[in-house]
Amino acid sequence: MNQKESLIKKFRDKTAQVAILGMGYVGLPLAVVFAEAGYHVTGIDPDARKADSLGRGISYIPDIPTERLAPLVKSGHLKATTDFSVLKDMDAVSICVPTPLRKTGDPDMSFILSATEQLAKYMHKGVAVVLESTTYPGTTREVLLPMLGEANGLKVGEDWFLAFSPERVDPGREDFTTLNTPKVVGGITAACSEVASAWYGGAILQIHMVSSAEAAEMAKLLENTFRMVNIGMVNELSIMCNRMGVDVWEVIDAAATKPFGFMKFTPGPGLGGHCIPIDPLYLSWKMKAYQYTARFIELASDINTNMPRYVVTRILEAMNERGHVLKGSRCLVLGVAYKPDIDDIRESPALDVIGLLQKKGVTVEYHDPYIPTLKTHEGAEMQSVPDLMSAVRAADIVVAVTNHKIYDYEAILEAAKFIFDSRNALGRLGKDNPKVERL
Ligand SMILES: NC(=O)c1ccc[n+]([C@@H]2O[C@H](COP(=O)([O-])OP(=O)(O)OC[C@H]3O[C@@H](n4cnc5c(N)ncnc54)[C@H](O)[C@@H]3O)[C@@H](O)[C@H]2O)c1
């Protein structure tokens, strides 16, 4: 049996030892799905608190309840460590480390590089490696292949196997999860695609194989660029509707009655999260090497990045119309997570809105049941107000930034002096209500 056949056999009979590098929002759900399918999984993360917590069977990711994790730890199917040397005994390694942007807006590849450097020390024949982190097209072939294979004298597609498979998890979502969201897999060679598909197909319901790692990398960027551009377009539409005195929410609902050729996107105070505001910029950065400007991405990014500033300008105008000054007023930001019903504040536009209001001399508080504390862009610690309704009553302005389902908007409207609703969180309650200004 050659390396490919023996590895595929190990995936089939579930004797493969699988490691996940990076046990965050992506790595942990993937580890759980692999372990539930019968693989023996070791999560490796330099964050000792994560490894410790997993060792005790306690989850720190809301999508994975502790009741689901604990039995896998107890049965020995899922372990966690900070020790990278366990990689020497692994048959398969998924890399799920962060890919943020540098302050300059360029890709920060440091996590991929450090994880790959660690893995390179323990490379051996008969191992499959899949990169899951979202990144620019070409990363798997240009960065991982030389560091892991060529430097170790191993021939890819024969001695070892390398592929890209983008993670598509949507935190907080229950209908589509890591298990039942089709998984795109693209290998460096056809044998790499085959091996990676056998591995992932042993745990995930549907695999969609593409002809190269680059096609898989680009597919992920298409998905996220599609969202970013459409959100940018609808954000601009909200600015245009406001100029013309047209209700953008009514317009969107009307367009959404078309049963074909239209997909509903809604405006808001700006993009948030680890993916949509960032990933397309990996593509526009890469395209510079091809002397090409990714115009849709740059335009959408520009519009989306300016939305928090637009929201604050609209609040200022609305206060002015009501005969109030912004400076010296009290504001309660309602919801700071980057999207509803989750506990993730990464890249949240709430942080920009808070910072901009503070710069205008506003005293800002926030409430979010999922985010007990936050650090502002200026580095100050804030705590979610303990009593929502008294904070609503005390505020001159309530800004609805994240439309969490658990809020009783009727009660909030009743108690508030003025609400700026950047998400149409109040729905019909806010329409034509003199206390409410909608984006
Ligand atoms: N969160 C999402 O919704 C989502 C969805 C799709 C794709 N992605 C992509 O998946 C990747 C991971 O995102 P995430 O949300 O899971 O990030 P995360 O920050 O939640 O988790 C990443 C983990 O990697 C660990 N880590 C850092 N350096 C490491 C190293 N050298 N070796 C091993 N572990 C290391 C960190 O300690 C952290 O626990 C990113 O590229 C992201 O763009 C995320």
Side-chain angles (χ1 to χ4, degrees), residues 21-27 44-47 50 60-61 84 96-99 110-111 114-116 118 132-135 166-171 220 224 274-275 279 338 344 346:
L21 290 180
M23 293 296 278
Y25 285 92
V26 165
I44 308 174
D45 199 298
D47 183 343
K50 283 187 178 149
Y60 42 82
I61 301 277
F84 287 78
C96 306
V97 297
T99 43
S110 60
F111 298 96
S114 71
T116 309
Q118 290 285 359
E132 293 244 354
S133 301
T134 311
T135 180
E167 181 49 61
R168 292 165 145 176
V169 68
D170 183 11
K220 173 69 186 179
N224 285 2
H274 188 351
C275 297
D279 302 345
Y338 81 84
D344 193 344
R346 287 178 294 179

mmCIF file of all heavy atoms in Angstrom, residues 21-27 44-47 50 60-61 84 96-99 110-111 114-116 118 132-135 166-171 220 224 274-275 279 338 344 346, ligand 1:
data_model
loop_
_atom_site.group_PDB
_atom_site.id
_atom_site.type_symbol
_atom_site.label_atom_id
_atom_site.label_comp_id
_atom_site.label_asym_id
_atom_site.label_seq_id
_atom_site.Cartn_x
_atom_site.Cartn_y
_atom_site.Cartn_z
ATOM 1 N N LEU A 21 -4.800 22.622 14.822
ATOM 2 C CA LEU A 21 -3.989 23.734 15.327
ATOM 3 C C LEU A 21 -4.879 24.973 15.421
ATOM 4 O O LEU A 21 -5.319 25.499 14.393
ATOM 5 C CB LEU A 21 -2.822 24.020 14.381
ATOM 6 C CG LEU A 21 -1.712 22.976 14.328
ATOM 7 C CD1 LEU A 21 -0.622 23.397 13.341
ATOM 8 C CD2 LEU A 21 -1.106 22.778 15.698
ATOM 9 N N GLY A 22 -5.156 25.412 16.637
ATOM 10 C CA GLY A 22 -6.039 26.576 16.834
ATOM 11 C C GLY A 22 -7.416 26.099 17.228
ATOM 12 O O GLY A 22 -8.165 25.577 16.398
ATOM 13 N N MET A 23 -7.753 26.264 18.520
ATOM 14 C CA MET A 23 -9.033 25.736 19.035
ATOM 15 C C MET A 23 -9.992 26.879 19.354
ATOM 16 O O MET A 23 -10.477 27.027 20.474
ATOM 17 C CB MET A 23 -8.770 24.883 20.288
ATOM 18 C CG MET A 23 -8.006 23.617 19.959
ATOM 19 S SD MET A 23 -8.948 22.511 18.888
ATOM 20 C CE MET A 23 -9.969 21.698 20.090
ATOM 21 N N GLY A 24 -10.261 27.720 18.343
ATOM 22 C CA GLY A 24 -11.166 28.852 18.532
ATOM 23 C C GLY A 24 -12.547 28.561 17.978
ATOM 24 O O GLY A 24 -13.007 27.417 17.985
ATOM 25 N N TYR A 25 -13.199 29.595 17.461
ATOM 26 C CA TYR A 25 -14.564 29.485 16.929
ATOM 27 C C TYR A 25 -14.659 28.464 15.804
ATOM 28 O O TYR A 25 -15.712 27.882 15.576
ATOM 29 C CB TYR A 25 -15.030 30.846 16.405
ATOM 30 C CG TYR A 25 -15.392 31.818 17.490
ATOM 31 C CD1 TYR A 25 -14.441 32.697 17.998
ATOM 32 C CD2 TYR A 25 -16.681 31.859 18.014
ATOM 33 C CE1 TYR A 25 -14.770 33.595 19.006
ATOM 34 C CE2 TYR A 25 -17.021 32.749 19.011
ATOM 35 C CZ TYR A 25 -16.060 33.617 19.506
ATOM 36 O OH TYR A 25 -16.387 34.493 20.504
ATOM 37 N N VAL A 26 -13.563 28.286 15.061
ATOM 38 C CA VAL A 26 -13.553 27.346 13.943
ATOM 39 C C VAL A 26 -13.002 25.991 14.384
ATOM 40 O O VAL A 26 -13.593 24.942 14.117
ATOM 41 C CB VAL A 26 -12.716 27.933 12.778
ATOM 42 C CG1 VAL A 26 -12.375 26.881 11.752
ATOM 43 C CG2 VAL A 26 -13.484 29.081 12.134
ATOM 44 N N GLY A 27 -11.857 26.010 15.073
ATOM 45 C CA GLY A 27 -11.163 24.768 15.417
ATOM 46 C C GLY A 27 -11.950 23.879 16.355
ATOM 47 O O GLY A 27 -12.008 22.655 16.152
ATOM 48 N N ILE A 44 -4.532 21.531 19.522
ATOM 49 C CA ILE A 44 -3.288 22.153 20.003
ATOM 50 C C ILE A 44 -3.462 23.666 19.924
ATOM 51 O O ILE A 44 -3.769 24.204 18.855
ATOM 52 C CB ILE A 44 -2.083 21.726 19.136
ATOM 53 C CG1 ILE A 44 -2.027 20.200 19.024
ATOM 54 C CG2 ILE A 44 -0.779 22.277 19.729
ATOM 55 C CD1 ILE A 44 -0.958 19.694 18.061
ATOM 56 N N ASP A 45 -3.273 24.317 21.065
ATOM 57 C CA ASP A 45 -3.448 25.776 21.094
ATOM 58 C C ASP A 45 -2.465 26.338 22.115
ATOM 59 O O ASP A 45 -2.361 25.821 23.227
ATOM 60 C CB ASP A 45 -4.901 26.123 21.497
ATOM 61 C CG ASP A 45 -5.274 27.553 21.103
ATOM 62 O OD1 ASP A 45 -4.632 28.499 21.612
ATOM 63 O OD2 ASP A 45 -6.189 27.708 20.281
ATOM 64 N N PRO A 46 -1.725 27.390 21.730
ATOM 65 C CA PRO A 46 -0.767 27.953 22.694
ATOM 66 C C PRO A 46 -1.441 28.599 23.901
ATOM 67 O O PRO A 46 -0.787 28.846 24.915
ATOM 68 C CB PRO A 46 -0.013 29.019 21.871
ATOM 69 C CG PRO A 46 -0.852 29.288 20.676
ATOM 70 C CD PRO A 46 -1.698 28.084 20.428
ATOM 71 N N ASP A 47 -2.752 28.853 23.801
ATOM 72 C CA ASP A 47 -3.492 29.449 24.915
ATOM 73 C C ASP A 47 -3.801 28.361 25.948
ATOM 74 O O ASP A 47 -4.698 27.529 25.759
ATOM 75 C CB ASP A 47 -4.779 30.073 24.352
ATOM 76 C CG ASP A 47 -5.587 30.794 25.416
ATOM 77 O OD1 ASP A 47 -5.344 30.552 26.615
ATOM 78 O OD2 ASP A 47 -6.458 31.597 25.037
ATOM 79 N N LYS A 50 -7.355 27.652 27.191
ATOM 80 C CA LYS A 50 -8.243 26.866 26.314
ATOM 81 C C LYS A 50 -7.946 25.375 26.480
ATOM 82 O O LYS A 50 -8.859 24.560 26.633
ATOM 83 C CB LYS A 50 -8.057 27.284 24.855
ATOM 84 C CG LYS A 50 -8.754 28.601 24.570
ATOM 85 C CD LYS A 50 -8.750 28.968 23.108
ATOM 86 C CE LYS A 50 -9.513 30.286 22.953
ATOM 87 N NZ LYS A 50 -9.058 31.130 21.885
ATOM 88 N N TYR A 60 -15.905 26.766 25.804
ATOM 89 C CA TYR A 60 -15.902 28.234 25.916
ATOM 90 C C TYR A 60 -16.456 28.854 24.637
ATOM 91 O O TYR A 60 -16.330 30.041 24.407
ATOM 92 C CB TYR A 60 -14.463 28.736 26.177
ATOM 93 C CG TYR A 60 -13.428 28.017 25.332
ATOM 94 C CD1 TYR A 60 -13.186 28.398 24.014
ATOM 95 C CD2 TYR A 60 -12.750 26.919 25.835
ATOM 96 C CE1 TYR A 60 -12.291 27.712 23.222
ATOM 97 C CE2 TYR A 60 -11.848 26.221 25.045
ATOM 98 C CZ TYR A 60 -11.619 26.631 23.745
ATOM 99 O OH TYR A 60 -10.744 25.936 22.958
ATOM 100 N N ILE A 61 -17.045 28.004 23.780
ATOM 101 C CA ILE A 61 -17.645 28.491 22.527
ATOM 102 C C ILE A 61 -19.156 28.203 22.605
ATOM 103 O O ILE A 61 -19.542 27.034 22.749
ATOM 104 C CB ILE A 61 -17.034 27.742 21.305
ATOM 105 C CG1 ILE A 61 -15.523 27.939 21.228
ATOM 106 C CG2 ILE A 61 -17.728 28.103 19.991
ATOM 107 C CD1 ILE A 61 -15.034 29.203 20.582
ATOM 108 N N PHE A 84 3.246 21.145 21.066
ATOM 109 C CA PHE A 84 3.216 20.864 19.625
ATOM 110 C C PHE A 84 3.932 19.559 19.259
ATOM 111 O O PHE A 84 3.762 19.055 18.152
ATOM 112 C CB PHE A 84 3.840 22.029 18.834
ATOM 113 C CG PHE A 84 2.962 23.246 18.780
ATOM 114 C CD1 PHE A 84 2.856 24.110 19.861
ATOM 115 C CD2 PHE A 84 2.212 23.524 17.645
ATOM 116 C CE1 PHE A 84 2.037 25.237 19.821
ATOM 117 C CE2 PHE A 84 1.385 24.648 17.589
ATOM 118 C CZ PHE A 84 1.301 25.504 18.675
ATOM 119 N N CYS A 96 -6.344 25.996 11.900
ATOM 120 C CA CYS A 96 -7.497 26.908 12.080
ATOM 121 C C CYS A 96 -7.084 28.110 12.913
ATOM 122 O O CYS A 96 -7.702 28.415 13.933
ATOM 123 C CB CYS A 96 -8.639 26.185 12.785
ATOM 124 S SG CYS A 96 -9.149 24.664 12.014
ATOM 125 N N VAL A 97 -6.020 28.778 12.509
ATOM 126 C CA VAL A 97 -5.495 29.906 13.290
ATOM 127 C C VAL A 97 -6.022 31.229 12.720
ATOM 128 O O VAL A 97 -6.497 31.278 11.582
ATOM 129 C CB VAL A 97 -3.948 29.893 13.314
ATOM 130 C CG1 VAL A 97 -3.436 28.639 14.013
ATOM 131 C CG2 VAL A 97 -3.362 30.000 11.915
ATOM 132 N N PRO A 98 -5.933 32.303 13.492
ATOM 133 C CA PRO A 98 -6.502 33.579 13.015
ATOM 134 C C PRO A 98 -5.756 34.155 11.813
ATOM 135 O O PRO A 98 -4.553 33.930 11.661
ATOM 136 C CB PRO A 98 -6.326 34.527 14.213
ATOM 137 C CG PRO A 98 -5.967 33.674 15.378
ATOM 138 C CD PRO A 98 -5.366 32.432 14.837
ATOM 139 N N THR A 99 -6.495 34.907 10.989
ATOM 140 C CA THR A 99 -5.880 35.651 9.876
ATOM 141 C C THR A 99 -6.430 37.075 9.906
ATOM 142 O O THR A 99 -7.292 37.436 9.106
ATOM 143 C CB THR A 99 -6.190 34.977 8.515
ATOM 144 O OG1 THR A 99 -7.563 34.576 8.494
ATOM 145 C CG2 THR A 99 -5.321 33.780 8.258
ATOM 146 N N SER A 110 1.146 36.197 10.442
ATOM 147 C CA SER A 110 2.048 35.702 11.483
ATOM 148 C C SER A 110 1.532 34.414 12.141
ATOM 149 O O SER A 110 2.323 33.542 12.491
ATOM 150 C CB SER A 110 2.288 36.777 12.538
ATOM 151 O OG SER A 110 1.063 37.147 13.129
ATOM 152 N N PHE A 111 0.184 34.272 12.274
ATOM 153 C CA PHE A 111 -0.326 33.065 12.943
ATOM 154 C C PHE A 111 -0.165 31.842 12.035
ATOM 155 O O PHE A 111 0.198 30.762 12.488
ATOM 156 C CB PHE A 111 -1.794 33.252 13.341
ATOM 157 C CG PHE A 111 -1.988 34.367 14.327
ATOM 158 C CD1 PHE A 111 -2.355 35.636 13.905
ATOM 159 C CD2 PHE A 111 -1.784 34.147 15.682
ATOM 160 C CE1 PHE A 111 -2.524 36.668 14.810
ATOM 161 C CE2 PHE A 111 -1.947 35.181 16.597
ATOM 162 C CZ PHE A 111 -2.315 36.443 16.161
ATOM 163 N N SER A 114 3.543 30.982 12.126
ATOM 164 C CA SER A 114 4.053 30.340 13.346
ATOM 165 C C SER A 114 3.500 28.918 13.479
ATOM 166 O O SER A 114 4.220 28.003 13.867
ATOM 167 C CB SER A 114 3.791 31.175 14.590
ATOM 168 O OG SER A 114 2.435 31.166 14.896
ATOM 169 N N ALA A 115 2.223 28.719 13.113
ATOM 170 C CA ALA A 115 1.664 27.359 13.189
ATOM 171 C C ALA A 115 2.389 26.437 12.210
ATOM 172 O O ALA A 115 2.713 25.285 12.536
ATOM 173 C CB ALA A 115 0.170 27.390 12.881
ATOM 174 N N THR A 116 2.676 26.955 11.005
ATOM 175 C CA THR A 116 3.338 26.123 9.995
ATOM 176 C C THR A 116 4.779 25.813 10.420
ATOM 177 O O THR A 116 5.262 24.690 10.227
ATOM 178 C CB THR A 116 3.307 26.837 8.616
ATOM 179 O OG1 THR A 116 1.963 27.228 8.356
ATOM 180 C CG2 THR A 116 3.776 25.928 7.500
ATOM 181 N N GLN A 118 5.841 25.482 13.466
ATOM 182 C CA GLN A 118 5.756 24.421 14.490
ATOM 183 C C GLN A 118 5.540 23.069 13.830
ATOM 184 O O GLN A 118 6.208 22.091 14.164
ATOM 185 C CB GLN A 118 4.575 24.703 15.439
ATOM 186 C CG GLN A 118 4.770 25.890 16.349
ATOM 187 C CD GLN A 118 5.735 25.574 17.495
ATOM 188 O OE1 GLN A 118 6.237 24.456 17.607
ATOM 189 N NE2 GLN A 118 6.010 26.564 18.314
ATOM 190 N N GLU A 132 -7.382 25.700 6.936
ATOM 191 C CA GLU A 132 -8.782 26.148 6.978
ATOM 192 C C GLU A 132 -8.881 27.661 7.086
ATOM 193 O O GLU A 132 -9.926 28.241 6.776
ATOM 194 C CB GLU A 132 -9.480 25.545 8.210
ATOM 195 C CG GLU A 132 -9.652 24.048 8.168
ATOM 196 C CD GLU A 132 -11.113 23.651 8.128
ATOM 197 O OE1 GLU A 132 -11.990 24.510 8.248
ATOM 198 O OE2 GLU A 132 -11.364 22.447 7.957
ATOM 199 N N SER A 133 -7.837 28.301 7.605
ATOM 200 C CA SER A 133 -7.892 29.751 7.835
ATOM 201 C C SER A 133 -8.142 30.473 6.522
ATOM 202 O O SER A 133 -7.522 30.147 5.502
ATOM 203 C CB SER A 133 -6.564 30.245 8.400
ATOM 204 O OG SER A 133 -6.264 29.592 9.598
ATOM 205 N N THR A 134 -9.004 31.483 6.567
ATOM 206 C CA THR A 134 -9.284 32.259 5.359
ATOM 207 C C THR A 134 -8.044 33.077 5.007
ATOM 208 O O THR A 134 -7.460 33.732 5.875
ATOM 209 C CB THR A 134 -10.450 33.215 5.629
ATOM 210 O OG1 THR A 134 -11.492 32.456 6.216
ATOM 211 C CG2 THR A 134 -10.929 33.870 4.351
ATOM 212 N N THR A 135 -7.651 33.046 3.739
ATOM 213 C CA THR A 135 -6.422 33.732 3.364
ATOM 214 C C THR A 135 -6.421 34.045 1.873
ATOM 215 O O THR A 135 -7.376 33.717 1.181
ATOM 216 C CB THR A 135 -5.203 32.870 3.767
ATOM 217 O OG1 THR A 135 -4.008 33.551 3.388
ATOM 218 C CG2 THR A 135 -5.225 31.494 3.121
ATOM 219 N N PRO A 166 -11.927 25.758 3.062
ATOM 220 C CA PRO A 166 -12.349 26.917 3.854
ATOM 221 C C PRO A 166 -13.426 26.574 4.866
ATOM 222 O O PRO A 166 -14.334 25.797 4.578
ATOM 223 C CB PRO A 166 -12.915 27.867 2.785
ATOM 224 C CG PRO A 166 -13.334 26.995 1.659
ATOM 225 C CD PRO A 166 -12.405 25.817 1.668
ATOM 226 N N GLU A 167 -13.289 27.157 6.036
ATOM 227 C CA GLU A 167 -14.333 27.029 7.059
ATOM 228 C C GLU A 167 -15.456 27.991 6.718
ATOM 229 O O GLU A 167 -15.214 29.111 6.284
ATOM 230 C CB GLU A 167 -13.729 27.356 8.426
ATOM 231 C CG GLU A 167 -14.696 27.237 9.556
ATOM 232 C CD GLU A 167 -15.457 25.923 9.534
ATOM 233 O OE1 GLU A 167 -14.809 24.854 9.619
ATOM 234 O OE2 GLU A 167 -16.696 25.973 9.418
ATOM 235 N N ARG A 168 -16.697 27.526 6.916
ATOM 236 C CA ARG A 168 -17.834 28.388 6.592
ATOM 237 C C ARG A 168 -18.756 28.588 7.783
ATOM 238 O O ARG A 168 -19.889 29.020 7.594
ATOM 239 C CB ARG A 168 -18.658 27.725 5.481
ATOM 240 C CG ARG A 168 -17.945 27.683 4.167
ATOM 241 C CD ARG A 168 -18.650 26.720 3.251
ATOM 242 N NE ARG A 168 -18.609 27.145 1.881
ATOM 243 C CZ ARG A 168 -19.101 26.435 0.872
ATOM 244 N NH1 ARG A 168 -19.660 25.271 1.106
ATOM 245 N NH2 ARG A 168 -19.034 26.880 -0.360
ATOM 246 N N VAL A 169 -18.281 28.221 8.977
ATOM 247 C CA VAL A 169 -19.173 28.280 10.143
ATOM 248 C C VAL A 169 -19.733 29.695 10.331
ATOM 249 O O VAL A 169 -19.043 30.689 10.097
ATOM 250 C CB VAL A 169 -18.425 27.789 11.410
ATOM 251 C CG1 VAL A 169 -17.321 28.739 11.821
ATOM 252 C CG2 VAL A 169 -19.360 27.557 12.564
ATOM 253 N N ASP A 170 -21.005 29.751 10.706
ATOM 254 C CA ASP A 170 -21.670 31.022 10.975
ATOM 255 C C ASP A 170 -22.080 30.968 12.451
ATOM 256 O O ASP A 170 -23.116 30.394 12.787
ATOM 257 C CB ASP A 170 -22.893 31.146 10.056
ATOM 258 C CG ASP A 170 -23.606 32.478 10.234
ATOM 259 O OD1 ASP A 170 -23.053 33.376 10.909
ATOM 260 O OD2 ASP A 170 -24.721 32.619 9.705
ATOM 261 N N PRO A 171 -21.241 31.542 13.339
ATOM 262 C CA PRO A 171 -21.511 31.391 14.774
ATOM 263 C C PRO A 171 -22.930 31.811 15.145
ATOM 264 O O PRO A 171 -23.441 32.812 14.650
ATOM 265 C CB PRO A 171 -20.469 32.309 15.423
ATOM 266 C CG PRO A 171 -19.357 32.395 14.426
ATOM 267 C CD PRO A 171 -20.025 32.335 13.089
ATOM 268 N N LYS A 220 -13.857 30.762 -1.097
ATOM 269 C CA LYS A 220 -14.149 31.382 0.211
ATOM 270 C C LYS A 220 -14.186 32.906 0.085
ATOM 271 O O LYS A 220 -15.058 33.577 0.652
ATOM 272 C CB LYS A 220 -13.072 30.961 1.218
ATOM 273 C CG LYS A 220 -13.143 31.648 2.559
ATOM 274 C CD LYS A 220 -14.351 31.213 3.357
ATOM 275 C CE LYS A 220 -14.493 32.011 4.644
ATOM 276 N NZ LYS A 220 -15.664 31.616 5.402
ATOM 277 N N ASN A 224 -17.359 35.648 0.826
ATOM 278 C CA ASN A 224 -17.306 36.773 1.767
ATOM 279 C C ASN A 224 -17.318 38.121 1.056
ATOM 280 O O ASN A 224 -17.866 39.096 1.575
ATOM 281 C CB ASN A 224 -16.101 36.636 2.698
ATOM 282 C CG ASN A 224 -16.353 35.565 3.748
ATOM 283 O OD1 ASN A 224 -17.394 34.926 3.734
ATOM 284 N ND2 ASN A 224 -15.421 35.363 4.643
ATOM 285 N N HIS A 274 -14.930 38.610 12.359
ATOM 286 C CA HIS A 274 -13.583 38.232 11.981
ATOM 287 C C HIS A 274 -13.477 38.028 10.460
ATOM 288 O O HIS A 274 -12.398 37.860 9.923
ATOM 289 C CB HIS A 274 -13.272 36.924 12.722
ATOM 290 C CG HIS A 274 -11.878 36.439 12.645
ATOM 291 N ND1 HIS A 274 -10.940 36.995 11.814
ATOM 292 C CD2 HIS A 274 -11.251 35.444 13.288
ATOM 293 C CE1 HIS A 274 -9.797 36.348 11.964
ATOM 294 N NE2 HIS A 274 -9.965 35.404 12.852
ATOM 295 N N CYS A 275 -14.623 38.021 9.743
ATOM 296 C CA CYS A 275 -14.572 37.572 8.346
ATOM 297 C C CYS A 275 -14.896 38.661 7.327
ATOM 298 O O CYS A 275 -14.028 39.048 6.552
ATOM 299 C CB CYS A 275 -15.533 36.411 8.149
ATOM 300 S SG CYS A 275 -15.071 34.986 9.125
ATOM 301 N N ASP A 279 -11.671 39.543 5.221
ATOM 302 C CA ASP A 279 -11.239 38.564 4.207
ATOM 303 C C ASP A 279 -11.108 39.144 2.797
ATOM 304 O O ASP A 279 -10.120 38.865 2.109
ATOM 305 C CB ASP A 279 -12.177 37.352 4.184
ATOM 306 C CG ASP A 279 -12.257 36.675 5.538
ATOM 307 O OD1 ASP A 279 -11.382 36.960 6.379
ATOM 308 O OD2 ASP A 279 -13.182 35.884 5.747
ATOM 309 N N TYR A 338 -20.981 41.948 17.316
ATOM 310 C CA TYR A 338 -20.997 42.376 15.917
ATOM 311 C C TYR A 338 -22.226 41.909 15.167
ATOM 312 O O TYR A 338 -22.551 42.419 14.098
ATOM 313 C CB TYR A 338 -19.701 41.987 15.193
ATOM 314 C CG TYR A 338 -19.619 40.558 14.708
ATOM 315 C CD1 TYR A 338 -20.184 40.183 13.494
ATOM 316 C CD2 TYR A 338 -18.963 39.591 15.439
ATOM 317 C CE1 TYR A 338 -20.113 38.877 13.042
ATOM 318 C CE2 TYR A 338 -18.869 38.284 14.991
ATOM 319 C CZ TYR A 338 -19.450 37.933 13.798
ATOM 320 O OH TYR A 338 -19.380 36.644 13.364
ATOM 321 N N ASP A 344 -19.599 37.707 20.418
ATOM 322 C CA ASP A 344 -18.336 38.047 19.740
ATOM 323 C C ASP A 344 -18.326 39.540 19.410
ATOM 324 O O ASP A 344 -19.229 40.045 18.748
ATOM 325 C CB ASP A 344 -18.252 37.209 18.446
ATOM 326 C CG ASP A 344 -16.868 37.233 17.829
ATOM 327 O OD1 ASP A 344 -16.053 38.103 18.196
ATOM 328 O OD2 ASP A 344 -16.601 36.371 16.964
ATOM 329 N N ARG A 346 -15.485 41.061 18.029
ATOM 330 C CA ARG A 346 -14.369 41.378 17.126
ATOM 331 C C ARG A 346 -14.822 42.269 15.966
ATOM 332 O O ARG A 346 -15.806 41.970 15.291
ATOM 333 C CB ARG A 346 -13.755 40.086 16.572
ATOM 334 C CG ARG A 346 -12.954 39.353 17.635
ATOM 335 C CD ARG A 346 -12.386 38.071 17.112
ATOM 336 N NE ARG A 346 -13.409 37.093 16.779
ATOM 337 C CZ ARG A 346 -13.151 35.902 16.285
ATOM 338 N NH1 ARG A 346 -11.920 35.536 16.050
ATOM 339 N NH2 ARG A 346 -14.126 35.064 16.015
HETATM 340 N N1 LIG B 1 -15.172 32.756 13.364
HETATM 341 C C1 LIG B 1 -15.790 32.583 12.217
HETATM 342 O O1 LIG B 1 -16.993 32.789 12.114
HETATM 343 C C2 LIG B 1 -15.052 32.098 10.978
HETATM 344 C C3 LIG B 1 -15.809 31.584 9.919
HETATM 345 C C4 LIG B 1 -15.155 31.133 8.795
HETATM 346 C C5 LIG B 1 -13.765 31.209 8.730
HETATM 347 N N2 LIG B 1 -13.037 31.728 9.769
HETATM 348 C C6 LIG B 1 -11.588 31.764 9.651
HETATM 349 O O2 LIG B 1 -11.037 30.734 10.458
HETATM 350 C C7 LIG B 1 -9.792 31.146 11.019
HETATM 351 C C8 LIG B 1 -9.825 31.003 12.534
HETATM 352 O O3 LIG B 1 -10.818 31.874 13.050
HETATM 353 P P1 LIG B 1 -11.420 31.718 14.501
HETATM 354 O O4 LIG B 1 -12.642 32.557 14.535
HETATM 355 O O5 LIG B 1 -11.539 30.279 14.893
HETATM 356 O O6 LIG B 1 -10.255 32.406 15.387
HETATM 357 P P2 LIG B 1 -10.084 32.333 16.972
HETATM 358 O O7 LIG B 1 -9.300 33.515 17.358
HETATM 359 O O8 LIG B 1 -11.397 32.072 17.633
HETATM 360 O O9 LIG B 1 -9.209 31.023 17.214
HETATM 361 C C9 LIG B 1 -7.917 30.873 16.749
HETATM 362 C C10 LIG B 1 -7.125 30.073 17.764
HETATM 363 O O10 LIG B 1 -5.809 29.858 17.225
HETATM 364 C C11 LIG B 1 -4.900 29.889 18.301
HETATM 365 N N3 LIG B 1 -3.551 30.063 17.779
HETATM 366 C C12 LIG B 1 -2.871 31.212 17.541
HETATM 367 N N4 LIG B 1 -1.635 30.932 17.071
HETATM 368 C C13 LIG B 1 -1.546 29.588 17.004
HETATM 369 C C14 LIG B 1 -0.520 28.687 16.603
HETATM 370 N N5 LIG B 1 0.647 29.129 16.141
HETATM 371 N N6 LIG B 1 -0.758 27.377 16.676
HETATM 372 C C15 LIG B 1 -1.937 26.914 17.120
HETATM 373 N N7 LIG B 1 -2.943 27.700 17.522
HETATM 374 C C16 LIG B 1 -2.752 29.026 17.454
HETATM 375 C C17 LIG B 1 -5.415 31.001 19.180
HETATM 376 O O11 LIG B 1 -4.911 30.896 20.508
HETATM 377 C C18 LIG B 1 -6.919 30.785 19.099
HETATM 378 O O12 LIG B 1 -7.387 29.943 20.137
HETATM 379 C C19 LIG B 1 -9.562 32.563 10.511
HETATM 380 O O13 LIG B 1 -8.790 32.517 9.349
HETATM 381 C C20 LIG B 1 -10.954 33.033 10.173
HETATM 382 O O14 LIG B 1 -10.937 34.030 9.175
HETATM 383 C C21 LIG B 1 -13.666 32.151 10.915
#
